[in-house]
PDB file of all heavy atoms in Angstrom:
ATOM      1  N   ARG A 542     -45.827 -48.747  13.104  1.00  0.00           N
ATOM      2  CA  ARG A 542     -45.518 -47.774  14.152  1.00  0.00           C
ATOM      3  C   ARG A 542     -46.626 -47.808  15.220  1.00  0.00           C
ATOM      4  O   ARG A 542     -47.661 -48.484  15.086  1.00  0.00           O
ATOM      5  CB  ARG A 542     -45.420 -46.392  13.572  1.00  0.00           C
ATOM      6  CG  ARG A 542     -46.778 -45.839  13.108  1.00  0.00           C
ATOM      7  CD  ARG A 542     -46.720 -44.424  12.714  1.00  0.00           C
ATOM      8  NE  ARG A 542     -48.066 -43.928  12.341  1.00  0.00           N
ATOM      9  CZ  ARG A 542     -48.335 -42.690  11.966  1.00  0.00           C
ATOM     10  NH1 ARG A 542     -47.343 -41.755  11.973  1.00  0.00           N
ATOM     11  NH2 ARG A 542     -49.576 -42.306  11.660  1.00  0.00           N
ATOM     12  N   VAL A 543     -46.426 -47.095  16.286  1.00  0.00           N
ATOM     13  CA  VAL A 543     -47.445 -46.979  17.339  1.00  0.00           C
ATOM     14  C   VAL A 543     -48.392 -45.863  16.908  1.00  0.00           C
ATOM     15  O   VAL A 543     -47.969 -44.714  16.647  1.00  0.00           O
ATOM     16  CB  VAL A 543     -46.781 -46.624  18.675  1.00  0.00           C
ATOM     17  CG1 VAL A 543     -47.896 -46.434  19.751  1.00  0.00           C
ATOM     18  CG2 VAL A 543     -45.858 -47.767  19.122  1.00  0.00           C
ATOM     19  N   ASP A 544     -49.653 -46.169  16.892  1.00  0.00           N
ATOM     20  CA  ASP A 544     -50.653 -45.186  16.457  1.00  0.00           C
ATOM     21  C   ASP A 544     -50.665 -44.057  17.472  1.00  0.00           C
ATOM     22  O   ASP A 544     -50.749 -44.266  18.669  1.00  0.00           O
ATOM     23  CB  ASP A 544     -52.043 -45.854  16.396  1.00  0.00           C
ATOM     24  CG  ASP A 544     -53.078 -44.865  15.884  1.00  0.00           C
ATOM     25  OD1 ASP A 544     -53.098 -44.654  14.648  1.00  0.00           O
ATOM     26  OD2 ASP A 544     -53.815 -44.306  16.717  1.00  0.00           O
ATOM     27  N   PRO A 545     -50.586 -42.746  17.024  1.00  0.00           N
ATOM     28  CA  PRO A 545     -50.491 -41.623  17.931  1.00  0.00           C
ATOM     29  C   PRO A 545     -51.765 -41.376  18.714  1.00  0.00           C
ATOM     30  O   PRO A 545     -51.768 -40.702  19.742  1.00  0.00           O
ATOM     31  CB  PRO A 545     -50.178 -40.443  17.000  1.00  0.00           C
ATOM     32  CG  PRO A 545     -50.700 -40.872  15.664  1.00  0.00           C
ATOM     33  CD  PRO A 545     -50.479 -42.343  15.597  1.00  0.00           C
ATOM     34  N   PHE A 546     -52.899 -41.926  18.252  1.00  0.00           N
ATOM     35  CA  PHE A 546     -54.149 -41.673  18.921  1.00  0.00           C
ATOM     36  C   PHE A 546     -54.532 -42.858  19.828  1.00  0.00           C
ATOM     37  O   PHE A 546     -55.032 -42.686  20.926  1.00  0.00           O
ATOM     38  CB  PHE A 546     -55.282 -41.388  17.920  1.00  0.00           C
ATOM     39  CG  PHE A 546     -55.081 -40.137  17.195  1.00  0.00           C
ATOM     40  CD1 PHE A 546     -54.474 -40.064  15.933  1.00  0.00           C
ATOM     41  CD2 PHE A 546     -55.480 -38.928  17.740  1.00  0.00           C
ATOM     42  CE1 PHE A 546     -54.334 -38.887  15.234  1.00  0.00           C
ATOM     43  CE2 PHE A 546     -55.348 -37.725  17.104  1.00  0.00           C
ATOM     44  CZ  PHE A 546     -54.738 -37.703  15.852  1.00  0.00           C
ATOM     45  N   LEU A 547     -54.294 -44.083  19.358  1.00  0.00           N
ATOM     46  CA  LEU A 547     -54.713 -45.286  20.076  1.00  0.00           C
ATOM     47  C   LEU A 547     -53.554 -45.923  20.850  1.00  0.00           C
ATOM     48  O   LEU A 547     -53.827 -46.745  21.744  1.00  0.00           O
ATOM     49  CB  LEU A 547     -55.318 -46.313  19.114  1.00  0.00           C
ATOM     50  CG  LEU A 547     -56.532 -45.804  18.331  1.00  0.00           C
ATOM     51  CD1 LEU A 547     -57.017 -46.907  17.392  1.00  0.00           C
ATOM     52  CD2 LEU A 547     -57.676 -45.387  19.273  1.00  0.00           C
ATOM     53  N   GLY A 548     -52.348 -45.619  20.545  1.00  0.00           N
ATOM     54  CA  GLY A 548     -51.190 -46.213  21.231  1.00  0.00           C
ATOM     55  C   GLY A 548     -50.981 -47.662  20.904  1.00  0.00           C
ATOM     56  O   GLY A 548     -50.336 -48.337  21.686  1.00  0.00           O
ATOM     57  N   ARG A 549     -51.533 -48.117  19.783  1.00  0.00           N
ATOM     58  CA  ARG A 549     -51.396 -49.532  19.375  1.00  0.00           C
ATOM     59  C   ARG A 549     -50.623 -49.614  18.073  1.00  0.00           C
ATOM     60  O   ARG A 549     -50.654 -48.672  17.275  1.00  0.00           O
ATOM     61  CB  ARG A 549     -52.721 -50.188  19.262  1.00  0.00           C
ATOM     62  CG  ARG A 549     -53.515 -50.307  20.545  1.00  0.00           C
ATOM     63  CD  ARG A 549     -54.823 -51.066  20.372  1.00  0.00           C
ATOM     64  NE  ARG A 549     -55.688 -50.336  19.413  1.00  0.00           N
ATOM     65  CZ  ARG A 549     -56.916 -50.777  19.107  1.00  0.00           C
ATOM     66  NH1 ARG A 549     -57.404 -51.870  19.631  1.00  0.00           N
ATOM     67  NH2 ARG A 549     -57.663 -50.092  18.247  1.00  0.00           N
ATOM     68  N   PRO A 550     -49.962 -50.743  17.815  1.00  0.00           N
ATOM     69  CA  PRO A 550     -49.266 -50.866  16.526  1.00  0.00           C
ATOM     70  C   PRO A 550     -50.198 -50.707  15.353  1.00  0.00           C
ATOM     71  O   PRO A 550     -51.309 -51.235  15.378  1.00  0.00           O
ATOM     72  CB  PRO A 550     -48.676 -52.274  16.590  1.00  0.00           C
ATOM     73  CG  PRO A 550     -48.598 -52.603  18.021  1.00  0.00           C
ATOM     74  CD  PRO A 550     -49.787 -51.948  18.660  1.00  0.00           C
ATOM     75  N   ALA A 551     -49.708 -50.030  14.360  1.00  0.00           N
ATOM     76  CA  ALA A 551     -50.517 -49.771  13.153  1.00  0.00           C
ATOM     77  C   ALA A 551     -49.593 -49.580  11.988  1.00  0.00           C
ATOM     78  O   ALA A 551     -48.411 -49.208  12.115  1.00  0.00           O
ATOM     79  CB  ALA A 551     -51.401 -48.545  13.332  1.00  0.00           C
ATOM     80  N   MET A 552     -50.087 -49.803  10.792  1.00  0.00           N
ATOM     81  CA  MET A 552     -49.299 -49.654   9.560  1.00  0.00           C
ATOM     82  C   MET A 552     -49.402 -48.213   9.060  1.00  0.00           C
ATOM     83  O   MET A 552     -50.493 -47.691   8.849  1.00  0.00           O
ATOM     84  CB  MET A 552     -49.863 -50.602   8.499  1.00  0.00           C
ATOM     85  CG  MET A 552     -49.062 -50.543   7.196  1.00  0.00           C
ATOM     86  SD  MET A 552     -47.385 -51.106   7.399  1.00  0.00           S
ATOM     87  CE  MET A 552     -46.695 -50.768   5.740  1.00  0.00           C
ATOM     88  N   HIS A 553     -48.226 -47.596   8.929  1.00  0.00           N
ATOM     89  CA  HIS A 553     -48.164 -46.244   8.386  1.00  0.00           C
ATOM     90  C   HIS A 553     -47.784 -46.373   6.905  1.00  0.00           C
ATOM     91  O   HIS A 553     -46.709 -46.840   6.549  1.00  0.00           O
ATOM     92  CB  HIS A 553     -47.144 -45.409   9.126  1.00  0.00           C
ATOM     93  CG  HIS A 553     -47.155 -43.956   8.761  1.00  0.00           C
ATOM     94  ND1 HIS A 553     -45.996 -43.226   8.469  1.00  0.00           N
ATOM     95  CD2 HIS A 553     -48.205 -43.070   8.622  1.00  0.00           C
ATOM     96  CE1 HIS A 553     -46.316 -41.975   8.176  1.00  0.00           C
ATOM     97  NE2 HIS A 553     -47.680 -41.866   8.276  1.00  0.00           N
ATOM     98  N   THR A 554     -48.667 -45.951   6.024  1.00  0.00           N
ATOM     99  CA  THR A 554     -48.518 -46.210   4.594  1.00  0.00           C
ATOM    100  C   THR A 554     -47.746 -45.123   3.845  1.00  0.00           C
ATOM    101  O   THR A 554     -47.672 -45.065   2.620  1.00  0.00           O
ATOM    102  CB  THR A 554     -49.907 -46.338   3.941  1.00  0.00           C
ATOM    103  OG1 THR A 554     -50.653 -45.132   4.238  1.00  0.00           O
ATOM    104  CG2 THR A 554     -50.612 -47.563   4.488  1.00  0.00           C
ATOM    105  N   GLY A 555     -47.131 -44.170   4.556  1.00  0.00           N
ATOM    106  CA  GLY A 555     -46.374 -43.105   3.874  1.00  0.00           C
ATOM    107  C   GLY A 555     -45.313 -42.533   4.741  1.00  0.00           C
ATOM    108  O   GLY A 555     -44.870 -43.169   5.756  1.00  0.00           O
ATOM    109  N   LEU A 556     -44.855 -41.354   4.368  1.00  0.00           N
ATOM    110  CA  LEU A 556     -43.877 -40.593   5.142  1.00  0.00           C
ATOM    111  C   LEU A 556     -44.515 -39.296   5.609  1.00  0.00           C
ATOM    112  O   LEU A 556     -45.227 -38.653   4.862  1.00  0.00           O
ATOM    113  CB  LEU A 556     -42.634 -40.270   4.296  1.00  0.00           C
ATOM    114  CG  LEU A 556     -41.749 -41.424   3.861  1.00  0.00           C
ATOM    115  CD1 LEU A 556     -40.641 -40.901   2.917  1.00  0.00           C
ATOM    116  CD2 LEU A 556     -41.134 -42.121   5.052  1.00  0.00           C
ATOM    117  N   ASP A 557     -44.177 -38.938   6.857  1.00  0.00           N
ATOM    118  CA  ASP A 557     -44.628 -37.640   7.382  1.00  0.00           C
ATOM    119  C   ASP A 557     -43.466 -36.647   7.370  1.00  0.00           C
ATOM    120  O   ASP A 557     -42.414 -36.862   7.996  1.00  0.00           O
ATOM    121  CB  ASP A 557     -45.145 -37.789   8.826  1.00  0.00           C
ATOM    122  CG  ASP A 557     -46.457 -38.519   8.873  1.00  0.00           C
ATOM    123  OD1 ASP A 557     -47.155 -38.613   7.820  1.00  0.00           O
ATOM    124  OD2 ASP A 557     -46.812 -39.040   9.965  1.00  0.00           O
ATOM    125  N   PHE A 558     -43.569 -35.582   6.557  1.00  0.00           N
ATOM    126  CA  PHE A 558     -42.549 -34.541   6.435  1.00  0.00           C
ATOM    127  C   PHE A 558     -42.875 -33.377   7.408  1.00  0.00           C
ATOM    128  O   PHE A 558     -44.016 -32.867   7.411  1.00  0.00           O
ATOM    129  CB  PHE A 558     -42.514 -33.965   5.007  1.00  0.00           C
ATOM    130  CG  PHE A 558     -41.936 -34.948   4.012  1.00  0.00           C
ATOM    131  CD1 PHE A 558     -42.783 -35.871   3.373  1.00  0.00           C
ATOM    132  CD2 PHE A 558     -40.606 -34.908   3.658  1.00  0.00           C
ATOM    133  CE1 PHE A 558     -42.275 -36.760   2.482  1.00  0.00           C
ATOM    134  CE2 PHE A 558     -40.082 -35.805   2.762  1.00  0.00           C
ATOM    135  CZ  PHE A 558     -40.918 -36.724   2.109  1.00  0.00           C
ATOM    136  N   ARG A 559     -41.874 -33.005   8.195  1.00  0.00           N
ATOM    137  CA  ARG A 559     -42.057 -31.844   9.061  1.00  0.00           C
ATOM    138  C   ARG A 559     -42.167 -30.598   8.195  1.00  0.00           C
ATOM    139  O   ARG A 559     -41.335 -30.342   7.305  1.00  0.00           O
ATOM    140  CB  ARG A 559     -40.897 -31.727  10.035  1.00  0.00           C
ATOM    141  CG  ARG A 559     -41.081 -30.592  11.039  1.00  0.00           C
ATOM    142  CD  ARG A 559     -39.854 -30.433  11.912  1.00  0.00           C
ATOM    143  NE  ARG A 559     -39.639 -31.667  12.704  1.00  0.00           N
ATOM    144  CZ  ARG A 559     -40.238 -31.947  13.827  1.00  0.00           C
ATOM    145  NH1 ARG A 559     -41.142 -31.097  14.329  1.00  0.00           N
ATOM    146  NH2 ARG A 559     -39.950 -33.057  14.495  1.00  0.00           N
ATOM    147  N   ALA A 560     -43.172 -29.777   8.447  1.00  0.00           N
ATOM    148  CA  ALA A 560     -43.373 -28.531   7.691  1.00  0.00           C
ATOM    149  C   ALA A 560     -44.284 -27.613   8.506  1.00  0.00           C
ATOM    150  O   ALA A 560     -44.847 -28.034   9.505  1.00  0.00           O
ATOM    151  CB  ALA A 560     -43.958 -28.780   6.334  1.00  0.00           C
ATOM    152  N   SER A 561     -44.386 -26.417   8.036  1.00  0.00           N
ATOM    153  CA  SER A 561     -45.224 -25.432   8.690  1.00  0.00           C
ATOM    154  C   SER A 561     -46.525 -25.226   7.872  1.00  0.00           C
ATOM    155  O   SER A 561     -46.547 -25.480   6.691  1.00  0.00           O
ATOM    156  CB  SER A 561     -44.524 -24.076   8.833  1.00  0.00           C
ATOM    157  OG  SER A 561     -43.298 -24.203   9.587  1.00  0.00           O
ATOM    158  N   ILE A 562     -47.549 -24.793   8.602  1.00  0.00           N
ATOM    159  CA  ILE A 562     -48.821 -24.551   7.885  1.00  0.00           C
ATOM    160  C   ILE A 562     -48.625 -23.468   6.817  1.00  0.00           C
ATOM    161  O   ILE A 562     -48.025 -22.420   7.042  1.00  0.00           O
ATOM    162  CB  ILE A 562     -49.878 -24.099   8.902  1.00  0.00           C
ATOM    163  CG1 ILE A 562     -50.228 -25.265   9.874  1.00  0.00           C
ATOM    164  CG2 ILE A 562     -51.171 -23.609   8.201  1.00  0.00           C
ATOM    165  CD1 ILE A 562     -51.251 -24.935  10.863  1.00  0.00           C
ATOM    166  N   GLY A 563     -49.107 -23.794   5.639  1.00  0.00           N
ATOM    167  CA  GLY A 563     -49.030 -22.855   4.538  1.00  0.00           C
ATOM    168  C   GLY A 563     -47.863 -23.102   3.583  1.00  0.00           C
ATOM    169  O   GLY A 563     -47.799 -22.489   2.509  1.00  0.00           O
ATOM    170  N   ASP A 564     -46.896 -23.989   4.006  1.00  0.00           N
ATOM    171  CA  ASP A 564     -45.797 -24.283   3.097  1.00  0.00           C
ATOM    172  C   ASP A 564     -46.307 -24.968   1.841  1.00  0.00           C
ATOM    173  O   ASP A 564     -47.257 -25.801   1.889  1.00  0.00           O
ATOM    174  CB  ASP A 564     -44.777 -25.226   3.764  1.00  0.00           C
ATOM    175  CG  ASP A 564     -43.956 -24.505   4.862  1.00  0.00           C
ATOM    176  OD1 ASP A 564     -44.026 -23.277   4.910  1.00  0.00           O
ATOM    177  OD2 ASP A 564     -43.286 -25.226   5.641  1.00  0.00           O
TER     178      ASP A 564
END
Side-chain angles (χ1 to χ4, degrees):
R542 68 171 183 178
V543 176
D544 184 78
F546 293 97
L547 301 178
R549 294 183 300 183
M552 181 65 185
H553 188 226
T554 56
L556 292 176
D557 288 343
F558 289 86
R559 184 184 298 277
S561 301
I562 292 180
D564 287 348

